[in-house]
Amino acid sequence: MKKIIKAMPLLMATMGLASPVMAGVHWGYEGEATPENWAKLTPEYQMCDLGRNQSPVNISGAIKAQVTDLEIHYGETSGNIVNNGHTIQINEKNPNDYVVVNGEKYTLVQFHFHAPSENEINGESFPLEGHFVHKNDKGELLVMAIMFEEGDKNPVVEKFLSILSEEEEVPVDFDKINIAAFLPKSTGYYRFSGSLTTPPCTEGVTWVILKDTMTLSKDEIEKFEHEFKHHNNRPIQPLHGRLIISN
Ligand SMILES: [Zn+2]
């Protein structure tokens, strides 16, 4: 069973375009390349240890603020889906899905999943967390996270899992799947400044975590866990005095 996870160059990572075929330093979630050791693997990953605004975090003590509502403009999308060796990732072909936060528009580039969840809400972990990675015109990243609980099955997840290749690193194209069906009804959210949760742990990432959750069936959760082969969640990082805003 192949379990080699390669690092992606900084530029690719910040663009949210993980490329497992690029050469680099191996990192992962098990053995010597475990999250505690990422910063020791190469100087390029030093932020994983040195950073003071790292993700994921446990969301607690959020401050209610007068912030503008989150607008989510998701619809039918086309692209490809791949198990890239550390997650199941969906890459947008012609990015036209976007969110508006604080008047700033961020376009969806890719989304992927972690099991169990990386972030926690008041100490609560969830079976799965979806990360929707967006970028604005200045190249700044915003990750919108959606938590999934066990419950009814999720038709969109079902569709994506059904077309996923059995093999790693084999992208499968898809056409016109409505990803709006991923979204919970309410757009209440927590917001804070954080980082990529994978090497090189680059900071300056805006995190928006939806309060409302979605559901997945037990079968769907198990399918993700089977694909990942092991947990792919980085441990909780200290807040170091960061503020968490909620609407
Ligand atoms: Zn992620």
Side-chain angles (χ1 to χ4, degrees):
M1 216 181 326
K2 188 166 64 148
K3 198 68 245 155
I4 296 173
I5 296 172
K6 289 179 179 168
M8 41 196 166
L10 183 64
L11 181 65
M12 295 296 281
T14 52
M15 287 173 67
L17 302 169
S19 176
V21 294
M22 307 288 289
V25 177
H26 300 184
W27 60 270
Y29 296 93
E30 291 185 316
E32 284 178 18
T34 204
E36 286 71 21
N37 293 330
W38 286 348
K40 299 184 192 89
L41 299 174
T42 165
E44 281 171 47
Y45 300 167
Q46 61 177 338
M47 281 309 279
C48 302
D49 263 1
L50 297 181
R52 304 280 289 178
N53 295 308
Q54 290 288 295
S55 289
V57 301
N58 174 30
I59 294 162
S60 65
I63 294 166
K64 258 204 171 308
Q66 293 289 352
V67 287
T68 51
D69 281 343
L70 164 68
E71 283 177 35
I72 306 174
H73 300 265
Y74 281 10
E76 282 195 335
T77 194
S78 303
N80 65 56
I81 178 168
V82 63
N83 182 338
N84 64 19
H86 53 254
T87 188
I88 293 173
Q89 184 164 314
I90 288 117
N91 300 297
E92 297 251 317
K93 192 165 68 185
N94 300 307
N96 56 5
D97 299 293
Y98 65 97
V99 297
V100 180
V101 182
N102 258 358
E104 185 75 29
K105 179 180 172 179
Y106 295 86
T107 303
L108 181 65
V109 181
Q110 53 101 332
F111 54 98
H112 61 266
F113 301 89
H114 298 267
S117 69
E118 295 206 294
N119 293 287
E120 293 178 1
I121 300 179
N122 295 316
E124 188 185 354
S125 167
F126 296 83
L128 194 87
E129 178 174 348
H131 285 165
F132 295 75
V133 182
H134 303 73
K135 202 170 55 158
N136 68 7
D137 285 347
K138 289 166 253 170
E140 296 162 336
L141 291 183
L142 177 144
V143 181
M144 182 173 78
I146 298 175
M147 300 296 184
F148 292 85
E149 297 184 89
E150 190 181 318
D152 290 341
K153 71 181 191 179
N154 186 309
V156 210
V157 168
E158 200 71 19
K159 201 173 246 179
F160 277 121
L161 289 176
S162 72
I163 56 174
L164 179 68
S165 169
E166 297 278 307
E167 285 178 75
E168 285 184 9
E169 295 172 24
V170 177
V172 177
D173 288 338
F174 66 86
D175 226 15
K176 294 189 178 158
I177 294 182
N178 191 343
I179 59 166
F182 263 119
L183 304 170
K185 286 194 183 76
S186 128
T187 53
Y189 64 90
Y190 300 105
R191 196 180 80 209
F192 55 91
S193 178
S195 73
L196 300 178
T197 66
T198 54
C201 305
T202 312
E203 296 191 337
V205 177
T206 300
W207 280 83
V208 166
I209 298 188
L210 297 189
K211 294 177 184 177
D212 204 1
T213 59
M214 291 296 282
T215 61
L216 289 176
S217 68
K218 194 166 186 283
D219 275 2
E220 289 168 333
I221 293 168
E222 282 171 359
K223 180 91 194 277
F224 275 107
E225 289 169 346
H226 172 76
E227 289 290 335
F228 297 156
K229 300 185 184 74
H230 53 76
H231 290 170
N232 66 349
N233 63 313
R234 185 187 191 198
I236 294 291
Q237 304 296 304
L239 278 170
H240 290 304
R242 267 176 289 174
L243 290 184
I244 297 175
I245 301 290
S246 108
N247 67 348

